Amino acid sequence: MRAFDSYIHKMTQKPIFHKEFFAKMHTFKELEFVDVEDLSMLKLLGLPITKYNNYAFTLETLSTPITQGKFCIVDIEANGSKPTLHQIIEIGAVMIENGKEVAEFSSLAKADVLPDSIEQLTGISLSALQNAPSLSSVLEAFRLFIKDAVFVAHNVNFDYYFISYSLEQAGFGPLLNRRLDTIDLAKKCIEAPKYGLGALTDYLGIGFENHHRALCDAKATAQVFFKALEKLPEEVQTVEQLIDFTKPHNQKKKKKEKPVKPTDTSL
């Protein structure tokens, strides 16, 4: 977890005074290029910040009902697994607002390297990538698409930090969006044998074409998201409560049964 994320977690506990907030924002290296006292800039980077009163800030997600929330369901394909060595070759996303899918984002990104294993897995050809828009332009368009919606993905940290690192390298600043993992959400709400996206969609009877293509995977993840929301406990009402509920540390631990001492039948 980034130091920034740890600090923002404090805002989920209580509002933070303006002076303290701005002072802390100036200490984060990833925000050095940003006018952190411009709230519109922070919102553009994904932070759903709002004024609590004339003296403090809070997060919009704390009071936004889930049914009125903005969720961007995201999936990426890359030509390797490490952001520092490889690059994104496709981004797909579905925007959900007020409980409905309202928009889609899908684009390949120009690349000159594509391992055979990735081509076989995704069906994407090197020639298609060489004629695709630049990664920089795709990232810029995605930034404008997601805005300050909650970033949702199946194994969210992979997609989130890959995109965030790529945005920083392109000069657009990191992602500051709240995020949610549909694997963890599904484990809380759906009893299934396995929680990989392919296995889970099969179990739930969700139609799924072109696995390992970004938009198709994002659409399938969106359906898993909707299925899980149907099983939410009644007390989970706001977007921030949903994010908190989803975190693994809130999973109920099964109590281990105490071993039964064998009865001495010889007595």
Side-chain angles (χ1 to χ4, degrees), residues 21-22 34-44 49:
F21 177 81
F22 289 135
V34 178
D35 179 1
V36 295
E37 298 191 22
D38 181 351
L39 297 189
S40 63
M41 176 60 71
L42 293 176
K43 286 180 72 70
L44 181 61
I49 191 169

Side-chain angles (χ1 to χ4, degrees), residues 13-83:
Q13 310 301 311
K14 63 179 181 179
I16 294 179
F17 287 112
H18 296 172
K19 187 175 180 179
E20 176 193 341
F21 177 81
F22 289 135
K24 190 65 177 180
M25 290 298 105
H26 281 293
T27 68
F28 296 119
K29 186 176 181 180
E30 60 262 49
L31 299 181
E32 286 178 346
F33 80 103
V34 178
D35 179 1
V36 295
E37 298 191 22
D38 181 351
L39 297 189
S40 63
M41 176 60 71
L42 293 176
K43 286 180 72 70
L44 181 61
L45 294 180
L47 186 65
I49 191 169
T50 189
K51 288 185 176 181
Y52 179 75
N53 55 29
N54 291 331
Y55 309 100
F57 295 126
T58 189
L59 299 176
E60 290 180 351
T61 47
L62 284 164
S63 59
T64 303
I66 294 170
T67 54
Q68 297 175 25
K70 294 180 293 183
F71 301 93
C72 189
I73 318 295
V74 185
D75 185 77
I76 66 169
E77 302 300 333
N79 60 8
S81 60
K82 298 180 180 180

Side-chain angles (χ1 to χ4, degrees), residues 20 32-33 39 42 50 53 55 70 103 112 116 119 132 136 140 155 203 210 227 243 250:
E20 176 193 341
E32 286 178 346
F33 80 103
L39 297 189
L42 293 176
T50 189
N53 55 29
Y55 309 100
K70 294 180 293 183
D112 296 318
D116 290 341
E119 182 172 354
S136 178
E140 183 178 21
N155 187 21
Y203 178 76
N210 295 325
K227 291 280 189 183
I243 293 170
N250 285 329

